Amino acid sequence: ALISDQERGASDPSTFVKGVLKMNERYNSIVDQSFRGEAKAKKRLKQSFENFLNADTRAASCLAVYADDLLRSGIKGVSEQEVTRLLNSVILVFRFISDKDVFESFYKQHLAKRLLSGRSVSDEAEKQMVSLLKAECGYQFTSKLEGMFNDMRISRDTRDAYKAHKRDRTPEERNANKNSVDIDVDVLTTGYWPNVKVPVCTLPQPIQAAIDNFSDFYLKKHTGRKLSWQTSTGTGEIKATFGDDGNSRVYYLCVSTYQMCILMLFTEKTTLTLGQIAAETNIPDLELRRHLISLCTPKHRILRKGSKGKGISGDDDTFAFNPEYKSNARRVKIPLVSIKEASKSKKGAGAKAGQASNASGSGNVVLPLQLEEERRHLVEAATVRIMKARKQLHHNDLIAEVTKQLQVRFVPTPQFIKKRIEGLIEREYLERAEQDHRLYMYVA
């Protein structure tokens, strides 16, 4: 029932994980009472949970969402003992999942959003969760997660230093930058954070000037570094005036960077087409549609859409500034619609982009391309390490050694390992023995 509900979309990910925990508690109770905790019964129960939870990547994804819900709001106002119990429930299900790197990938994406948006209920709970994962899988598994926390700490210090730098500027420098805006920058280390390769959009001139000022300050302090701006993840606050001169209303709109870029175009023109906005901002098409639809919803109709219906008809569809917009709050947060809603306005939007069929694990699994690539590197690195130490090894023994080393992160299939071995032979890291082609030798 748990799996069928997920397939039909009848239950959300957190409900699925709660169902797994409830079922585990129920059957553990049966094993303890009816079988008197017999080791064989416990082993069979563990295998049963592993079998259905590792059918595909949904369980890992659901567990990451469940952990995200807990750390966003689920542990708010509860005791320390209850926080520990809830976090341990995540680890209980985590132990059943064999492809732990899939969970790490999903968890890292949710953690990045929590850290960058300041949505975590408790920093202590966040660090406790990472400590539990570290105790379960070792330092290497959580090194990137710990790096993310370290980046946020260093970014706070950098922001304070930049504010002090701006206060110490000469009067001439202040006059030269009197029209610049205030920005808070999080400097993130490439490799720790989820790598999203999105082209930089065209930013409004005051924002670009503020970015240039921060870049000059940062790169003078840290020579040899390079800053790549992630305009797809930022947020901003805009002071917007609605109504006519006699009855004007001022609101502070809390928007994403993309929404800010779109709205700033309407300071010069009252009506623009989708094609014009795309040319001016260079925002990717699907994201542009998503952010425009978010600005045209009934509750937050900042812009008026020319066509009828929820979707966007095409490049000629018009958007006009809505001077009649009203809100009871002075500060208004404009939420984003889901990508599914945005993709409806563009038939055939790449729903499967960035995914690859899984060759490295077992079962009907679909993995992100980045994770598939990472698995290739891990298998090749483990193979070279083993062969460098052992000098020569039979095929089956090498497969067993590689699987043993990597099982803390994922369980690679023998076919996947064999393919990576062949790749290493082609690049002359290994060679086959002339007398026995199933015997590999390390090439120094």
Side-chain angles (χ1 to χ4, degrees), residues 86-103:
L86 289 168
L87 296 182
N88 279 324
S89 72
V90 176
I91 298 299
L92 192 150
V93 180
F94 177 72
R95 285 178 184 140
F96 293 132
I97 295 172
S98 59
D99 293 338
K100 290 178 169 56
D101 61 337
V102 177
F103 169 81

Side-chain angles (χ1 to χ4, degrees), residues 42-62:
K42 283 189 173 183
K43 186 179 179 182
R44 288 298 298 164
L45 179 61
K46 181 174 179 286
Q47 288 172 344
S48 299
F49 273 94
E50 287 173 346
N51 286 341
F52 90 85
L53 287 173
N54 291 304
D56 53 32
T57 59
R58 275 179 301 179
S61 174
C62 289

Side-chain angles (χ1 to χ4, degrees), residues 407-425:
Q407 65 185 1
V408 71
R409 290 186 64 83
F410 71 101
V411 181
T413 60
Q415 295 88 345
F416 184 69
I417 298 173
K418 184 181 178 183
K419 198 172 180 180
R420 300 322 327 142
I421 291 171
E422 288 169 356
L424 290 170
I425 291 171

Side-chain angles (χ1 to χ4, degrees), residues 24-36:
N24 180 260
E25 186 180 353
R26 178 187 168 195
Y27 285 114
N28 265 323
S29 177
I30 292 171
V31 168
D32 289 339
Q33 292 174 18
S34 302
F35 293 87
R36 296 178 182 177

